[in-house]
């Protein structure tokens, strides 16, 4: 049986339409899920929308519509984004789904059975925008002495009856878990932030609200709904059948990887494992807090700054795979990175159109023209052929898999494009177009060598640019069963297809891009 691999994005808060940050997380997680499937893992990939909380209530009130209507509309936009960006999820979960209410209430009951919930009165600072409670010591001073959260968002003094979770009880168990599992929180900068926070002492956490009713009802406590982060985090269990401990949950839990933004690491690395410890459910294996996609000037995108990028408009303007490739190639995963229309165009033209696309186009065009579309024969190998095979083989079997396994996505694409450059240098050096009359057998061997290397590279980059990779491999007649890095190697060549398969006239894979005025920042 294939080794299971359960990966999740953070579920998106749909009080507004998707922005480029949502797309970045979805694309990165999708690339990892696709890589793991290609490596033979039994992958379960979940994404979705987090639809409860005061922010949703206020956003709906501002528009004069029911909160459920806002949730339905906005969740639809996120589903549209996932479809547009070719996100290969297994479940798109909504926290308004009936099975999610059942799972959240079951987790709540498990924490109650552990003696970790008690009723009291909460008085303290709350950020509606962050949906987070903050201690006085965490606040920062804004203009005019206004108190702000560590994220720079407004906070309000809140006082109401609430259920509390005994978070303080889990301070040492959490520290013990971090020490025993150094890769539980990644990258290291996020781990260090969490360690400092937990070592500074944990206060019990308010986990219900009575000031509004848009949320999962607290079992046996009329008038209380769960704090939005309690039910939001539970989604990772809902999607695999909790509270039933057999079936999908037994197969896929604990999750291999929660992919989240760096601004919500505390919720995932402190609150979530504490809830699970209380409920006696195994902890996830790893949490990765990626960075932000920033505007061209390095500022965080926001509606007030007028610099929010619409991922659907970007996909329409540049192409889905060009956008996917840029985000994973140009942003070092785990760090912040800047976006601009010019940067996307520059990267897509340089790596995809001019390098890989041109490599495929001129190789397949020569096979179509000089070999009547039939796959050329191999007539022995020269040292140059052997060297190229060795470089490409090492790239797709070692360098790229190691980078994907380490979540070093920009390094994976860098290794890939260096192999593409090597193939282009080989073409220029071997000049197969000049061999047609002087040495036709050598011409065939050169084209066959390139055909194999292009197939290997198309397979290896498929997690990043899946549609383009599939289109190229289909055009090349590569059997879908062979589309893994280990199936296509230097000894592989579809000899049986030589008399049966014929290339059609090749079509350019990546058109050259210009900067559309309507999406330029």
């Amino acid at each position: 049986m294939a080794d299971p691999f359960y990966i999740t994005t953070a579920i998106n808060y749909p009080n507004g339409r998707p922005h480029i940050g949502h797309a970045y997380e979805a694309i990165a997680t999708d690339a990892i899920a696709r890589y793991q499937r290609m490596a033979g893992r039994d992958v379960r990939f979940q994404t979705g929308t987090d639809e409860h909380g005061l922010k949703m209530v206020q956003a709906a009130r501002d528009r004069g519509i029911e909160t459920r209507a806002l949730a339905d509309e906005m969740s639809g936009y996120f589903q549209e984004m996932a479809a547009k960006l070719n996100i290969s999820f297994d479940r798109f979960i909504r926290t308004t789904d009936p099975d999610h209410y059942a799972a959240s209430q079951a987790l709540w009951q498990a924490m109650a059975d552990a003696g970790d919930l008690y009723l009291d009165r909460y008085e303290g600072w709350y950020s509606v925008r962050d949906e987070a409670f903050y201690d006085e010591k965490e606040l920062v001073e804004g203009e005019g002495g206004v108190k702000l959260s560590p994220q720079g968002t407004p906070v309000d003094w809140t006082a109401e009856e609430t259920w509390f979770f005994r978070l303080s009880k889990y301070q040492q168990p959490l520290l013990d878990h971090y020490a025993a599992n150094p890769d539980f929180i990644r990258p290291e900068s996020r781990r260090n932030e969490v360690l400092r926070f937990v070592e500074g002492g944990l206060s019990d956490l308010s986990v219900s609200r009575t000031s509004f009713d848009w949320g999962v009802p607290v079992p046996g406590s009329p008038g209380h709904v769960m704090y939005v982060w309690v039910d939001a985090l539970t989604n990772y269990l809902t999607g695999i059948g909790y509270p039933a401990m057999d079936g999908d949950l037994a197969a896929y839990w604990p999750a291999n990887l929660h992919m989240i933004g760096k601004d919500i690491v505390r919720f995932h690395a402190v609150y979530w494992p504490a809830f699970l410890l209380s409920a006696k459910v195994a902890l996830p294996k790893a949490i990765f807090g990626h960075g932000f996609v920033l505007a061209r000037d390095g500022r965080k995108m926001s509606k007030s700054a007028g610099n929010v990028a619409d991922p659907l408009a970007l996909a329409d303007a540049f192409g889905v795979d060009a956008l996917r490739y840029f985000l994973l190639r140009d942003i070092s995963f785990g760090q912040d990175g800047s976006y601009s229309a010019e940067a996307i165009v520059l990267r897509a033209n340089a790596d995809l159109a001019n390098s890989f696309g041109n490599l495929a186009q001129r190789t397949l065009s020569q096979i179509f023209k000089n070999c009547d579309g039939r796959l050329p024969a191999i007539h022995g190998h020269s040292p140059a052929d052997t060297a190229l095979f060795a470089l490409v083989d090492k790239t797709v079997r070692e360098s790229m898999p190691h980078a994907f396994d380490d979540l070093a996505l920009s390094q994976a694409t860098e290794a890939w494009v260096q192999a593409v450059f090597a193939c282009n240098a080989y073409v220029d050096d071997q000049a197969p177009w000049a061999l047609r009359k002087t040495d036709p057998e050598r011409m065939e061997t050169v084209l066959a060598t390139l055909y194999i290397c292009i197939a290997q590279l198309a397979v290896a980059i498929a997690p990043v640019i899946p549609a383009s990779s599939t289109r190229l491999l289909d055009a090349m007649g590569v059997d879908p069963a062979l589309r893994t890095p280990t199936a296509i190697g230097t000894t592989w060549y579809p000899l049986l297809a030589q008399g049966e398969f014929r290339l059609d006239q090749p079509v350019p894979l990546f058109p050259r891009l210009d900067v559309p005025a309507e999406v330029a920042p």
Side-chain angles (χ1 to χ4, degrees):
M1 181 177 292
D3 192 16
F5 189 90
Y6 182 30
I7 185 170
T8 68
T9 68
I11 50 175
N12 301 298
Y13 203 76
N15 63 322
R17 289 174 179 257
H19 57 66
I20 192 65
H22 298 121
Y24 177 54
E25 180 171 298
I27 289 167
T29 310
D30 180 67
I32 295 164
R34 288 177 181 274
Y35 160 72
Q36 292 291 345
R37 287 193 198 100
M38 200 163 62
R41 306 287 294 274
D42 175 17
V43 172
R44 175 83 174 190
F45 173 17
Q46 182 165 300
T47 188
T49 43
D50 169 16
E51 300 171 27
H52 293 132
L54 186 55
K55 261 193 305 191
M56 289 291 288
V57 175
Q58 292 181 346
R61 184 187 304 135
D62 291 344
R63 289 185 51 184
I65 62 176
E66 294 294 323
T67 310
R68 178 62 193 238
L70 176 68
D72 290 343
E73 176 190 342
M74 291 297 171
S75 182
Y77 293 135
F78 282 90
Q79 293 176 61
E80 180 187 3
M81 180 192 76
K84 181 81 170 183
L85 299 178
N86 207 358
I87 307 303
S88 61
F89 61 83
D90 295 291
R91 174 162 180 187
F92 188 101
I93 193 168
R94 298 183 58 185
T95 54
T96 50
D97 290 340
D99 63 340
H100 181 67
Y101 275 63
S104 299
Q105 291 175 330
L107 189 74
W108 180 282
Q109 191 60 54
M111 294 190 293
D113 292 344
D116 288 337
L117 298 174
Y118 62 93
L119 196 61
D120 205 339
R121 182 173 177 79
Y122 176 79
E123 293 189 9
W125 297 103
Y126 186 76
S127 166
V128 175
R129 192 176 303 173
D130 299 346
E131 294 285 10
F133 301 97
Y134 293 105
D135 288 335
E136 182 85 28
K137 64 184 179 182
E138 296 180 84
L139 302 182
V140 296
E141 189 171 305
E143 292 184 11
V146 174
K147 294 181 183 293
L148 300 173
S149 77
Q151 312 294 337
T153 60
V155 294
D156 297 306
W157 185 262
T158 301
E160 61 183 309
E161 181 187 69
T162 178
W163 285 93
F164 280 83
F165 173 72
R166 299 185 192 277
L167 184 63
S168 57
K169 171 181 171 181
Y170 292 96
Q171 178 175 339
Q172 194 56 49
L174 287 172
L175 291 173
D176 292 344
H177 185 76
Y178 304 152
N181 301 274
D183 289 333
F184 178 65
I185 308 166
R186 296 180 59 197
E188 187 176 0
S189 58
R190 314 283 184 254
R191 170 183 164 82
N192 291 338
E193 291 169 7
V194 170
L195 282 173
R196 286 195 298 269
F197 175 72
V198 177
E199 288 169 347
L202 295 178
S203 302
D204 288 353
L205 181 68
S206 173
V207 289
S208 75
R209 304 299 303 273
T210 57
S211 54
F212 59 93
D213 61 2
W214 179 245
V216 178
V218 171
S221 190
H224 286 258
V225 294
M226 295 181 194
Y227 171 41
V228 64
W229 275 104
V230 176
D231 91 87
L233 292 163
T234 306
N235 94 87
Y236 304 127
L237 292 176
T238 304
I240 50 173
Y242 186 82
M245 300 302 289
D246 55 2
D248 283 349
L249 192 141
Y252 294 107
W253 192 262
N256 296 76
L257 180 63
H258 289 325
M259 187 69 73
I260 60 170
K262 66 179 183 179
D263 54 334
I264 55 173
V265 168
R266 179 189 303 181
F267 302 100
H268 285 79
V270 181
Y271 302 165
W272 180 227
F275 296 160
L276 293 172
L277 287 169
S278 174
K280 298 178 176 55
V281 176
L283 273 56
K285 295 179 182 178
I287 296 161
F288 192 99
H290 63 77
F292 293 142
V293 180
L294 305 174
R296 68 159 70 239
D297 56 5
R299 288 193 300 164
K300 188 176 179 181
M301 294 188 187
S302 67
K303 292 179 182 177
S304 59
N307 60 359
V308 175
D310 178 354
L312 300 185
L314 293 176
D316 286 337
F318 305 116
V320 171
D321 280 353
L323 177 63
R324 288 174 63 110
Y325 183 83
F326 167 80
L327 291 172
L328 301 187
R329 173 83 168 87
D330 274 44
I331 299 176
S332 182
F333 203 56
Q335 301 178 20
D336 293 345
S338 296
Y339 139 85
S340 72
E342 292 89 343
I344 294 177
V345 167
L346 182 66
R347 178 61 67 193
N349 285 343
D351 289 9
L352 298 181
N354 295 348
S355 296
F356 188 56
N358 187 49
L359 171 69
Q361 180 69 13
R362 60 178 174 168
T363 298
L364 300 184
S365 292
Q366 288 183 66
I367 293 174
F368 179 80
K369 177 182 178 181
N370 298 329
C371 305
D372 195 28
R374 299 186 185 279
L375 300 186
I378 296 176
H379 306 278
H381 290 300
S382 74
D385 307 338
T386 303
L388 184 65
F389 276 138
L391 185 151
V392 172
D393 212 46
K394 183 175 182 181
T395 298
V396 303
R397 290 173 181 263
E398 296 180 24
S399 302
M400 292 182 69
H402 291 166
F404 271 116
D405 285 336
D406 198 39
L407 305 183
L409 304 182
S410 58
Q411 287 91 325
T413 53
E414 169 66 17
W416 176 80
V417 82
Q418 289 301 322
V420 172
F421 294 159
C423 289
N424 278 305
Y426 171 87
V427 176
D428 293 339
D429 181 62
Q430 298 299 313
W433 55 87
L435 295 170
R436 182 179 183 184
K437 293 182 179 179
T438 61
D439 193 346
E441 288 193 351
R442 178 62 191 155
M443 178 200 71
E444 289 195 354
T445 298
V446 169
L447 294 176
T449 299
L450 288 166
Y451 178 95
I452 294 170
C453 290
I454 290 167
Q456 286 183 289
L457 291 168
V459 167
I461 201 64
V464 178
I465 52 171
S468 300
S469 171
T470 298
R471 191 160 62 249
L472 176 57
L473 291 166
D474 286 348
M476 295 175 69
V478 177
D479 187 336
L482 297 176
R483 297 179 189 183
T484 69
T486 55
I488 299 180
T490 58
T491 60
W492 170 83
Y493 194 63
L495 295 175
L496 294 178
Q498 286 189 35
E500 303 164 9
F501 176 75
R502 296 179 70 172
L503 289 171
D504 291 329
Q505 174 71 55
V507 176
L509 193 60
F510 301 102
R512 281 188 55 80
L513 300 176
D514 294 311
V515 179
E518 63 270 18
V519 299

